[in-house]
Amino acid sequence: MTAELDLICDGCRRPIADDDGYLWVDTAEVRRTEEAVRAWEEERTDAVDGSLGFGGDDIFGYPEKVRWQAHHALCDPAPGEAAYDIPAAKIRSWEQLLDWTAHLMEKAWLPHTDWDDFLRGVHRGGGRLVVASAAGTANS
């Protein structure tokens, strides 16, 4: 299979070969964000009717989503940390990207990550982590 997509390392900004790295998200950070969102919502939930209410200024206090990252194993700033990772070899085609998206949508924690922004970047061609492969576009 010719690679249609290249994973780009956040560290050195070079493409990651199949066996050299991965796309990953810090699961401990995701758990902290889940807890922070729960606390943010609890503070703004009406004790009587259970409705969530907040003003415009409250939005600025909403916890930020956890960023997906891509690294060569040698560039990884946190090797061995708790992470959910996708090996570079398993995210080389649009079909694989779609399969991973469907799989991740089953995870309750996915909305606390920037997977949606990640996908928009890939789709628009200006992705920070995944770009259309020169080899893949040459064979189109």
Side-chain angles (χ1 to χ4, degrees):
M1 172 179 82
T2 302
E4 299 168 4
L5 302 172
D6 282 329
L7 197 56
I8 305 299
C9 180
D10 270 325
C12 69
R13 304 301 309 150
R14 292 198 155 108
I16 301 171
D18 284 354
D19 298 327
D20 291 343
Y22 32 80
L23 179 65
W24 66 280
V25 67
D26 183 325
T27 54
E29 192 174 340
V30 170
R31 278 191 300 281
R32 284 191 294 275
T33 300
E34 285 176 312
E35 292 168 7
V37 166
R38 222 175 350 268
W40 187 93
E41 289 175 350
E42 284 175 6
E43 290 174 9
R44 291 158 183 83
T45 299
D46 187 283
V48 176
D49 67 10
S51 65
L52 180 64
F54 53 90
D57 287 344
D58 290 329
I59 294 296
F60 296 112
Y62 193 82
E64 288 191 34
K65 293 179 176 185
V66 181
R67 284 182 61 194
W68 281 86
Q69 302 178 56
H71 286 99
H72 290 101
L74 295 175
C75 296
D76 189 340
E81 291 295 315
Y84 187 97
D85 61 76
I86 302 170
K90 294 189 177 198
I91 194 160
R92 288 288 184 218
S93 69
W94 292 103
E95 182 180 349
Q96 288 174 321
L97 180 60
L98 185 60
D99 284 343
W100 276 109
T101 299
H103 173 75
L104 290 170
M105 288 174 66
E106 298 170 349
K107 309 294 184 194
W109 50 263
L110 183 66
H112 300 291
T113 75
D114 71 345
W115 188 258
D116 54 342
D117 294 331
F118 164 77
L119 288 178
R120 283 186 193 97
V122 175
H123 167 71
R124 293 183 180 142
R128 171 179 63 85
L129 300 176
V130 175
V131 297
S133 170
T137 55
N139 294 332
S140 298

